[in-house]
Amino acid sequence: QVQLVESGGGEVQAGGSLRLSCAASGRIFSINTMGWYRQAPGKQRELVAAVSSGGVTNYADSVKGRFTISRDNAKNTVYLQMNSLKPEDTAVYYCNADYRSDWWARYLEVWGQGTLVTVSS
């Protein structure tokens, strides 16, 4: 069983910064893409940023230039540095990963429990 454990959420004033971390643990042979999604009250979950095992990144237009995603493959950990935060960034942030448990296994998707980010004006 693979688990993702997120940390780093909290409350910050507009213009401030937060750094989210997400560590994967369990029976892991390899991880393909790792990413961050968010869900604001009354809205659908949306992709914030993702990074492939080779370091290729993808960002939502709303966070480009403000957020940076990175990963440490040796630690099976992904980070999200969030700068210049805005009240509209307020949401529960979820970590996501595509992993496989063995070289012959198919890739499976796993989600973290979510961490709340609140940006006050």
Short mmCIF file of all heavy atoms in Angstrom, two decimals, residues 33-82:
data_model
loop_
_atom_site.label_atom_id
_atom_site.label_comp_id
_atom_site.label_asym_id
_atom_site.label_seq_id
_atom_site.Cartn_x
_atom_site.Cartn_y
_atom_site.Cartn_z
N THR A 33 4.62 10.57 -12.96
CA THR A 33 4.28 11.96 -12.71
C THR A 33 3.83 12.17 -11.26
O THR A 33 3.13 11.33 -10.70
CB THR A 33 3.15 12.42 -13.65
OG1 THR A 33 3.59 12.28 -14.99
CG2 THR A 33 2.79 13.88 -13.39
N MET A 34 4.27 13.27 -10.68
CA MET A 34 3.77 13.72 -9.37
C MET A 34 3.20 15.12 -9.57
O MET A 34 3.73 15.91 -10.36
CB MET A 34 4.88 13.76 -8.33
CG MET A 34 5.53 12.41 -8.08
SD MET A 34 6.70 12.44 -6.69
CE MET A 34 5.57 12.29 -5.30
N GLY A 35 2.12 15.40 -8.86
CA GLY A 35 1.49 16.69 -9.07
C GLY A 35 0.72 17.18 -7.87
O GLY A 35 0.54 16.47 -6.88
N TRP A 36 0.30 18.42 -7.99
CA TRP A 36 -0.53 19.07 -6.99
C TRP A 36 -1.82 19.53 -7.64
O TRP A 36 -1.80 20.13 -8.72
CB TRP A 36 0.19 20.27 -6.37
CG TRP A 36 1.33 19.91 -5.50
CD1 TRP A 36 2.65 19.84 -5.85
CD2 TRP A 36 1.27 19.57 -4.11
NE1 TRP A 36 3.41 19.47 -4.77
CE2 TRP A 36 2.58 19.30 -3.69
CE3 TRP A 36 0.23 19.45 -3.19
CZ2 TRP A 36 2.89 18.93 -2.38
CZ3 TRP A 36 0.53 19.08 -1.89
CH2 TRP A 36 1.85 18.83 -1.49
N TYR A 37 -2.92 19.23 -6.99
CA TYR A 37 -4.24 19.68 -7.40
C TYR A 37 -4.83 20.50 -6.24
O TYR A 37 -4.35 20.42 -5.12
CB TYR A 37 -5.16 18.48 -7.69
CG TYR A 37 -4.81 17.72 -8.94
CD1 TYR A 37 -3.68 16.92 -8.99
CD2 TYR A 37 -5.61 17.78 -10.07
CE1 TYR A 37 -3.35 16.21 -10.14
CE2 TYR A 37 -5.31 17.08 -11.23
CZ TYR A 37 -4.17 16.30 -11.25
OH TYR A 37 -3.86 15.60 -12.39
N ARG A 38 -5.85 21.26 -6.54
CA ARG A 38 -6.53 21.99 -5.46
C ARG A 38 -8.03 22.02 -5.72
O ARG A 38 -8.48 21.93 -6.85
CB ARG A 38 -5.99 23.41 -5.33
CG ARG A 38 -6.29 24.34 -6.49
CD ARG A 38 -5.56 25.67 -6.30
NE ARG A 38 -5.82 26.59 -7.41
CZ ARG A 38 -5.20 27.77 -7.54
NH1 ARG A 38 -4.30 28.16 -6.65
NH2 ARG A 38 -5.50 28.55 -8.57
N GLN A 39 -8.74 22.16 -4.62
CA GLN A 39 -10.20 22.24 -4.71
C GLN A 39 -10.69 23.30 -3.75
O GLN A 39 -10.53 23.17 -2.52
CB GLN A 39 -10.85 20.90 -4.39
CG GLN A 39 -12.35 20.88 -4.63
CD GLN A 39 -12.92 19.48 -4.63
OE1 GLN A 39 -12.32 18.53 -4.14
NE2 GLN A 39 -14.10 19.32 -5.22
N ALA A 40 -11.26 24.34 -4.29
CA ALA A 40 -11.85 25.42 -3.50
C ALA A 40 -13.31 25.08 -3.21
O ALA A 40 -13.92 24.30 -3.94
CB ALA A 40 -11.74 26.74 -4.24
N PRO A 41 -13.88 25.67 -2.17
CA PRO A 41 -15.28 25.39 -1.83
C PRO A 41 -16.20 25.66 -3.01
O PRO A 41 -16.15 26.72 -3.63
CB PRO A 41 -15.56 26.34 -0.68
CG PRO A 41 -14.24 26.58 -0.05
CD PRO A 41 -13.25 26.57 -1.18
N GLY A 42 -17.04 24.67 -3.34
CA GLY A 42 -18.00 24.83 -4.41
C GLY A 42 -17.43 24.71 -5.81
O GLY A 42 -18.15 24.93 -6.79
N LYS A 43 -16.15 24.36 -5.91
CA LYS A 43 -15.53 24.26 -7.23
C LYS A 43 -14.98 22.86 -7.44
O LYS A 43 -14.79 22.09 -6.50
CB LYS A 43 -14.42 25.30 -7.38
CG LYS A 43 -14.90 26.72 -7.37
CD LYS A 43 -13.77 27.68 -7.71
CE LYS A 43 -14.28 29.11 -7.79
NZ LYS A 43 -13.17 30.06 -8.16
N GLN A 44 -14.70 22.54 -8.70
CA GLN A 44 -14.12 21.24 -9.03
C GLN A 44 -12.63 21.24 -8.73
O GLN A 44 -11.97 22.29 -8.71
CB GLN A 44 -14.35 20.94 -10.52
CG GLN A 44 -15.79 20.61 -10.86
CD GLN A 44 -15.94 20.10 -12.28
OE1 GLN A 44 -15.15 20.47 -13.16
NE2 GLN A 44 -16.94 19.28 -12.53
N ARG A 45 -12.12 20.05 -8.51
CA ARG A 45 -10.67 19.90 -8.31
C ARG A 45 -9.96 20.23 -9.62
O ARG A 45 -10.38 19.80 -10.70
CB ARG A 45 -10.34 18.48 -7.86
CG ARG A 45 -8.93 18.29 -7.39
CD ARG A 45 -8.72 16.89 -6.82
NE ARG A 45 -9.53 16.66 -5.62
CZ ARG A 45 -9.40 15.59 -4.85
NH1 ARG A 45 -8.51 14.67 -5.13
NH2 ARG A 45 -10.19 15.44 -3.80
N GLU A 46 -8.85 20.99 -9.51
CA GLU A 46 -8.13 21.39 -10.69
C GLU A 46 -6.63 21.15 -10.53
O GLU A 46 -6.11 21.19 -9.40
CB GLU A 46 -8.36 22.87 -10.99
CG GLU A 46 -7.87 23.82 -9.92
CD GLU A 46 -8.02 25.28 -10.30
OE1 GLU A 46 -8.52 25.59 -11.40
OE2 GLU A 46 -7.63 26.13 -9.47
N LEU A 47 -5.96 20.91 -11.64
CA LEU A 47 -4.52 20.75 -11.62
C LEU A 47 -3.85 22.09 -11.35
O LEU A 47 -4.18 23.09 -11.97
CB LEU A 47 -4.03 20.20 -12.96
CG LEU A 47 -2.52 20.11 -13.13
CD1 LEU A 47 -1.93 19.06 -12.22
CD2 LEU A 47 -2.17 19.82 -14.59
N VAL A 48 -2.90 22.09 -10.43
CA VAL A 48 -2.10 23.27 -10.15
C VAL A 48 -0.76 23.17 -10.88
O VAL A 48 -0.37 24.07 -11.61
CB VAL A 48 -1.86 23.43 -8.64
CG1 VAL A 48 -0.94 24.61 -8.37
CG2 VAL A 48 -3.18 23.58 -7.90
N ALA A 49 -0.07 22.05 -10.66
CA ALA A 49 1.24 21.86 -11.28
C ALA A 49 1.59 20.37 -11.23
O ALA A 49 1.13 19.65 -10.34
CB ALA A 49 2.32 22.65 -10.56
N ALA A 50 2.39 19.94 -12.18
CA ALA A 50 2.82 18.55 -12.23
C ALA A 50 4.26 18.50 -12.73
O ALA A 50 4.72 19.41 -13.45
CB ALA A 50 1.92 17.72 -13.13
N VAL A 51 4.96 17.43 -12.36
CA VAL A 51 6.34 17.26 -12.79
C VAL A 51 6.57 15.78 -13.11
O VAL A 51 6.17 14.90 -12.34
CB VAL A 51 7.33 17.77 -11.72
CG1 VAL A 51 7.13 17.10 -10.38
CG2 VAL A 51 8.78 17.62 -12.19
N SER A 52 7.18 15.52 -14.24
CA SER A 52 7.47 14.14 -14.63
C SER A 52 8.72 13.64 -13.93
O SER A 52 9.45 14.41 -13.30
CB SER A 52 7.66 14.07 -16.14
OG SER A 52 8.89 14.68 -16.50
N SER A 53 8.98 12.36 -14.08
CA SER A 53 10.18 11.79 -13.47
C SER A 53 11.44 12.40 -14.06
O SER A 53 12.49 12.43 -13.40
CB SER A 53 10.19 10.27 -13.65
OG SER A 53 10.13 9.94 -15.03
N GLY A 54 11.35 12.90 -15.27
CA GLY A 54 12.50 13.53 -15.91
C GLY A 54 12.61 15.02 -15.65
O GLY A 54 13.53 15.68 -16.16
N GLY A 55 11.65 15.57 -14.89
CA GLY A 55 11.74 16.98 -14.52
C GLY A 55 10.95 17.93 -15.39
O GLY A 55 11.04 19.15 -15.22
N VAL A 56 10.17 17.41 -16.32
CA VAL A 56 9.33 18.29 -17.16
C VAL A 56 8.15 18.76 -16.33
O VAL A 56 7.46 17.95 -15.72
CB VAL A 56 8.85 17.55 -18.42
CG1 VAL A 56 7.94 18.46 -19.24
CG2 VAL A 56 10.04 17.09 -19.25
N THR A 57 7.92 20.07 -16.33
CA THR A 57 6.87 20.64 -15.49
C THR A 57 5.71 21.18 -16.32
O THR A 57 5.86 21.52 -17.50
CB THR A 57 7.43 21.77 -14.62
OG1 THR A 57 8.00 22.77 -15.48
CG2 THR A 57 8.49 21.25 -13.67
N ASN A 58 4.57 21.27 -15.66
CA ASN A 58 3.36 21.80 -16.28
C ASN A 58 2.61 22.58 -15.21
O ASN A 58 2.46 22.09 -14.08
CB ASN A 58 2.50 20.64 -16.80
CG ASN A 58 1.22 21.11 -17.45
OD1 ASN A 58 1.21 22.12 -18.14
ND2 ASN A 58 0.13 20.39 -17.23
N TYR A 59 2.14 23.79 -15.55
CA TYR A 59 1.47 24.66 -14.58
C TYR A 59 0.13 25.14 -15.10
O TYR A 59 -0.04 25.37 -16.30
CB TYR A 59 2.33 25.89 -14.27
CG TYR A 59 3.62 25.61 -13.57
CD1 TYR A 59 4.79 25.44 -14.28
CD2 TYR A 59 3.68 25.52 -12.18
CE1 TYR A 59 5.99 25.18 -13.64
CE2 TYR A 59 4.87 25.27 -11.52
CZ TYR A 59 6.02 25.10 -12.27
OH TYR A 59 7.20 24.85 -11.62
N ALA A 60 -0.80 25.34 -14.19
CA ALA A 60 -2.02 26.04 -14.54
C ALA A 60 -1.68 27.49 -14.84
O ALA A 60 -0.77 28.06 -14.21
CB ALA A 60 -3.02 25.97 -13.38
N ASP A 61 -2.39 28.09 -15.77
CA ASP A 61 -2.10 29.47 -16.14
C ASP A 61 -2.20 30.41 -14.94
O ASP A 61 -1.46 31.38 -14.84
CB ASP A 61 -3.08 29.93 -17.23
CG ASP A 61 -2.79 29.29 -18.58
OD1 ASP A 61 -1.67 28.78 -18.77
OD2 ASP A 61 -3.69 29.31 -19.44
N SER A 62 -3.11 30.10 -14.03
CA SER A 62 -3.35 30.99 -12.89
C SER A 62 -2.19 31.06 -11.90
O SER A 62 -2.14 31.96 -11.06
CB SER A 62 -4.62 30.55 -12.15
OG SER A 62 -4.49 29.22 -11.69
N VAL A 63 -1.27 30.09 -11.97
CA VAL A 63 -0.16 30.07 -11.00
C VAL A 63 1.20 30.25 -11.66
O VAL A 63 2.22 30.33 -10.95
CB VAL A 63 -0.17 28.77 -10.17
CG1 VAL A 63 -1.53 28.56 -9.53
CG2 VAL A 63 0.24 27.57 -11.01
N LYS A 64 1.24 30.32 -12.98
CA LYS A 64 2.52 30.48 -13.67
C LYS A 64 3.23 31.74 -13.21
O LYS A 64 2.63 32.80 -13.10
CB LYS A 64 2.30 30.53 -15.18
CG LYS A 64 2.03 29.18 -15.81
CD LYS A 64 1.84 29.31 -17.32
CE LYS A 64 1.55 27.95 -17.95
NZ LYS A 64 1.29 28.05 -19.41
N GLY A 65 4.52 31.60 -12.92
CA GLY A 65 5.30 32.73 -12.46
C GLY A 65 5.24 32.95 -10.96
O GLY A 65 6.03 33.74 -10.42
N ARG A 66 4.33 32.27 -10.29
CA ARG A 66 4.21 32.43 -8.83
C ARG A 66 4.53 31.14 -8.09
O ARG A 66 5.09 31.16 -6.99
CB ARG A 66 2.79 32.88 -8.46
CG ARG A 66 2.37 34.19 -9.07
CD ARG A 66 1.03 34.66 -8.51
NE ARG A 66 -0.06 33.75 -8.81
CZ ARG A 66 -0.83 33.16 -7.89
NH1 ARG A 66 -0.61 33.39 -6.61
NH2 ARG A 66 -1.82 32.35 -8.25
N PHE A 67 4.17 30.01 -8.67
CA PHE A 67 4.38 28.70 -8.03
C PHE A 67 5.49 27.95 -8.76
O PHE A 67 5.64 28.06 -9.98
CB PHE A 67 3.11 27.86 -8.08
CG PHE A 67 1.97 28.34 -7.22
CD1 PHE A 67 2.00 29.58 -6.60
CD2 PHE A 67 0.86 27.54 -7.04
CE1 PHE A 67 0.95 30.02 -5.83
CE2 PHE A 67 -0.21 27.96 -6.27
CZ PHE A 67 -0.17 29.21 -5.66
N THR A 68 6.24 27.16 -7.99
CA THR A 68 7.28 26.31 -8.57
C THR A 68 7.16 24.91 -7.99
O THR A 68 7.17 24.74 -6.77
CB THR A 68 8.68 26.87 -8.28
OG1 THR A 68 8.78 28.20 -8.80
CG2 THR A 68 9.74 26.00 -8.93
N ILE A 69 7.07 23.92 -8.88
CA ILE A 69 7.02 22.53 -8.45
C ILE A 69 8.39 21.91 -8.66
O ILE A 69 9.09 22.22 -9.63
CB ILE A 69 5.93 21.74 -9.21
CG1 ILE A 69 5.73 20.36 -8.59
CG2 ILE A 69 6.26 21.63 -10.71
CD1 ILE A 69 4.52 19.62 -9.12
N SER A 70 8.78 21.06 -7.72
CA SER A 70 10.05 20.36 -7.84
C SER A 70 9.90 19.00 -7.15
O SER A 70 8.95 18.77 -6.41
CB SER A 70 11.19 21.16 -7.20
OG SER A 70 10.94 21.37 -5.82
N ARG A 71 10.86 18.11 -7.43
CA ARG A 71 10.79 16.80 -6.79
C ARG A 71 12.18 16.26 -6.50
O ARG A 71 13.15 16.62 -7.17
CB ARG A 71 10.00 15.81 -7.65
CG ARG A 71 10.63 15.48 -8.98
CD ARG A 71 9.68 14.66 -9.86
NE ARG A 71 9.65 13.25 -9.48
CZ ARG A 71 8.85 12.35 -10.05
NH1 ARG A 71 8.00 12.72 -11.00
NH2 ARG A 71 8.87 11.07 -9.68
N ASP A 72 12.24 15.41 -5.49
CA ASP A 72 13.46 14.72 -5.12
C ASP A 72 13.17 13.24 -5.34
O ASP A 72 12.50 12.61 -4.53
CB ASP A 72 13.81 15.01 -3.66
CG ASP A 72 15.13 14.39 -3.23
OD1 ASP A 72 15.53 13.36 -3.83
OD2 ASP A 72 15.75 14.93 -2.31
N ASN A 73 13.66 12.69 -6.45
CA ASN A 73 13.35 11.30 -6.79
C ASN A 73 13.92 10.32 -5.77
O ASN A 73 13.33 9.28 -5.52
CB ASN A 73 13.88 10.97 -8.18
CG ASN A 73 13.10 11.68 -9.27
OD1 ASN A 73 11.91 11.97 -9.12
ND2 ASN A 73 13.77 11.99 -10.37
N ALA A 74 15.05 10.65 -5.18
CA ALA A 74 15.66 9.76 -4.19
C ALA A 74 14.78 9.64 -2.94
O ALA A 74 14.80 8.61 -2.26
CB ALA A 74 17.04 10.25 -3.82
N LYS A 75 14.03 10.69 -2.65
CA LYS A 75 13.18 10.70 -1.47
C LYS A 75 11.70 10.48 -1.81
O LYS A 75 10.86 10.52 -0.92
CB LYS A 75 13.33 12.03 -0.72
CG LYS A 75 14.72 12.28 -0.16
CD LYS A 75 14.77 13.60 0.59
CE LYS A 75 16.16 13.84 1.18
NZ LYS A 75 16.22 15.15 1.91
N ASN A 76 11.40 10.29 -3.09
CA ASN A 76 10.00 10.14 -3.52
C ASN A 76 9.14 11.28 -2.98
O ASN A 76 8.03 11.06 -2.48
CB ASN A 76 9.43 8.79 -3.08
CG ASN A 76 10.02 7.63 -3.84
OD1 ASN A 76 10.39 7.77 -5.01
ND2 ASN A 76 10.13 6.49 -3.19
N THR A 77 9.66 12.48 -3.09
CA THR A 77 8.99 13.65 -2.52
C THR A 77 8.83 14.73 -3.58
O THR A 77 9.73 14.95 -4.40
CB THR A 77 9.80 14.20 -1.34
OG1 THR A 77 9.88 13.18 -0.32
CG2 THR A 77 9.14 15.42 -0.74
N VAL A 78 7.68 15.39 -3.53
CA VAL A 78 7.41 16.51 -4.42
C VAL A 78 7.10 17.74 -3.57
O VAL A 78 6.53 17.63 -2.48
CB VAL A 78 6.25 16.19 -5.39
CG1 VAL A 78 4.94 15.98 -4.65
CG2 VAL A 78 6.11 17.27 -6.45
N TYR A 79 7.52 18.90 -4.07
CA TYR A 79 7.34 20.15 -3.35
C TYR A 79 6.56 21.14 -4.23
O TYR A 79 6.61 21.07 -5.46
CB TYR A 79 8.68 20.77 -2.99
CG TYR A 79 9.61 19.84 -2.25
CD1 TYR A 79 10.58 19.10 -2.94
CD2 TYR A 79 9.53 19.68 -0.88
CE1 TYR A 79 11.42 18.23 -2.28
CE2 TYR A 79 10.38 18.82 -0.20
CZ TYR A 79 11.32 18.11 -0.90
OH TYR A 79 12.16 17.24 -0.24
N LEU A 80 5.91 22.07 -3.56
CA LEU A 80 5.26 23.17 -4.27
C LEU A 80 5.57 24.46 -3.51
O LEU A 80 5.08 24.67 -2.40
CB LEU A 80 3.75 22.97 -4.36
CG LEU A 80 3.01 24.01 -5.21
CD1 LEU A 80 3.40 23.87 -6.69
CD2 LEU A 80 1.49 23.88 -5.05
N GLN A 81 6.43 25.27 -4.10
CA GLN A 81 6.74 26.58 -3.53
C GLN A 81 5.74 27.57 -4.08
O GLN A 81 5.65 27.76 -5.30
CB GLN A 81 8.16 26.99 -3.91
CG GLN A 81 8.55 28.38 -3.40
CD GLN A 81 8.62 28.44 -1.89
OE1 GLN A 81 9.14 27.53 -1.25
NE2 GLN A 81 8.10 29.51 -1.31
N MET A 82 5.00 28.20 -3.19
CA MET A 82 3.95 29.13 -3.59
C MET A 82 4.31 30.53 -3.10
O MET A 82 4.40 30.76 -1.89
CB MET A 82 2.60 28.70 -2.99
CG MET A 82 2.21 27.26 -3.35
SD MET A 82 0.58 26.80 -2.76
CE MET A 82 0.86 26.80 -1.00
#
